[in-house]
Amino acid sequence: MCTWRRRQHGFMVIWILLIGVQISLFAQDRVPAIQTAISPSVVRENESFTFTVTLTWEGSPQDFEIIQFPQFKFQNILLVESGAATRSEQLSDSLQRIQRILTFHLKPLSAGDGKIYGGTVVLRGARGEHLRLSVPETTLTIVPGVASHPKFLAYIYLILLGVLAIAVVYSFILYMKKKRLFKHQATSLDALNEMYRARVAGEVDPKGGNLRQSVLHLQRIVQEFQHALGQLSPDQMNATVREQMSQQLQTIERKFQAIQQGNIPLTDGQFLELYQSVYQLFEIHVPSAPEEHVVN
């Protein structure tokens, strides 16, 4: 009896070992192969490249599922983005070659040595078993980029920007000097009228164009004229003319306010009428002194 039990126990052990060997051989046949590649083959400074990890097996796409992607660490390289794709090739009626492709878009930080440290891919088989595949470490040489040497272009742009800034400042200084010169020259109402009449004719288009902007520009000129008018002494403009100018200015200002508040529709005809009113404002002159008859 004891001998029979020993034989039975031995048969069970052998049977279990045979099943284990078959499962192991079957699992080894089904383990996906892993390959890595770098594209382009020459990695240049400041130019992105792609690191590809490809898992290949024969069967169906459902045989394996990636449950953990490799968490790579890098030396002198920056990870930009990553992605995954599946490619299949029909080998027979019931067999396919499956490729699960993991792509990592990378960018070198500087010329010199670079390294992609190894990682681990964890797969889950169709029966729920887990497989851990190691991705080997990859070293590469980063050559200097073609566009990394001519840094003088940046200096050229800075120089051009500086020249442009100097030109703007110089134009502003000339404008202020010219404006100040006009102010000093406007020592009489006639000179003031002539100066602002030239400004209206040169700066504001009587045809309007952008009516809203033209009205604002015209109003600004009138306000500057009113301020300059207040600087004239009584000898340069008597009280009668000053009162006449003040009434004209009040009338024009009311038109500006009515247009801005929407009480008067802003049309081409309305703008032309306003333009003519402003232009006629500068036609008021100081009456000349009466001639004296000298009696001999």
Side-chain angles (χ1 to χ4, degrees), residues 5-21:
R5 289 183 176 177
R6 289 179 180 176
R7 290 179 179 178
Q8 187 179 18
H9 184 266
F11 287 145
M12 291 181 63
V13 170
I14 293 173
W15 182 73
I16 291 173
L17 289 175
L18 289 175
I19 293 177
V21 169

Side-chain angles (χ1 to χ4, degrees), residues 27-271:
Q28 289 178 1
D29 292 339
R30 297 285 303 280
V31 173
I34 188 167
Q35 293 179 328
T36 61
I38 290 178
S39 178
S41 57
V42 178
V43 179
R44 296 185 180 276
E45 181 184 13
N46 297 326
E47 295 183 8
S48 300
F49 68 98
T50 301
F51 178 65
T52 305
V53 179
T54 304
L55 306 176
T56 306
W57 69 88
E58 294 182 357
S60 67
Q62 291 75 27
D63 289 342
F64 296 101
E65 177 188 1
I66 298 178
I67 60 176
Q68 180 178 322
F69 289 86
Q71 303 296 320
F72 292 117
K73 293 183 179 180
F74 306 96
Q75 174 185 328
N76 198 23
I77 297 172
L78 178 66
L79 175 63
V80 178
E81 61 178 351
S82 60
T86 301
R87 181 184 303 165
S88 62
E89 179 184 357
Q90 196 72 34
L91 300 178
S92 64
D93 294 340
S94 60
L95 191 62
Q96 291 178 307
R97 178 180 289 115
I98 309 300
Q99 288 186 326
R100 190 64 54 83
I101 303 171
L102 310 180
T103 56
F104 301 86
H105 299 288
L106 309 174
K107 185 175 182 180
L109 297 178
S110 61
D113 295 331
K115 183 180 293 185
I116 304 173
Y117 293 95
T120 303
V121 183
V122 181
L123 305 176
R124 181 167 56 202
R127 295 186 301 274
E129 72 277 13
H130 287 185
L131 296 177
R132 300 176 65 89
L133 303 180
S134 298
V135 181
E137 181 177 282
T138 302
T139 58
L140 60 150
T141 300
I142 303 169
V143 301
V146 177
S148 62
H149 293 295
K151 296 182 179 179
F152 63 90
L153 291 176
Y155 296 105
I156 293 178
Y157 293 145
L158 289 177
I159 292 173
L160 293 177
L161 186 61
V163 171
L164 179 61
I166 292 174
V168 171
V169 172
Y170 181 71
S171 299
F172 179 75
I173 292 175
L174 287 181
Y175 169 76
M176 294 303 296
K177 285 184 176 180
K178 187 175 181 181
K179 187 176 181 180
R180 192 176 298 113
L181 180 61
F182 281 159
K183 184 178 295 185
H184 288 312
Q185 289 177 345
T187 56
S188 67
L189 178 59
D190 291 341
L192 199 65
N193 284 339
E194 183 179 354
M195 183 178 69
Y196 278 90
R197 187 166 55 246
R199 283 195 59 186
V200 170
E203 299 179 16
V204 183
D205 184 4
K207 296 180 180 179
N210 187 332
L211 295 181
R212 187 67 57 182
Q213 292 296 330
S214 297
V215 167
L216 292 176
H217 196 170
L218 194 61
Q219 185 180 24
R220 184 163 57 250
I221 293 176
V222 171
Q223 290 173 349
E224 293 178 6
F225 173 75
Q226 187 175 9
H227 177 74
L229 202 64
Q231 306 300 317
L232 297 180
S233 65
D235 294 337
Q236 296 168 329
M237 183 174 63
N238 58 45
T240 302
V241 176
R242 189 180 296 274
E243 180 64 24
Q244 185 181 358
M245 297 289 289
S246 177
Q247 291 178 359
Q248 288 281 79
L249 286 168
Q250 291 177 5
T251 301
I252 293 174
E253 183 61 29
R254 283 195 294 267
K255 290 183 179 179
F256 280 124
Q257 293 178 0
I259 291 175
Q260 292 174 354
Q261 295 172 1
N263 297 329
I264 298 179
L266 184 54
T267 61
D268 292 338
Q270 184 63 45
F271 175 75

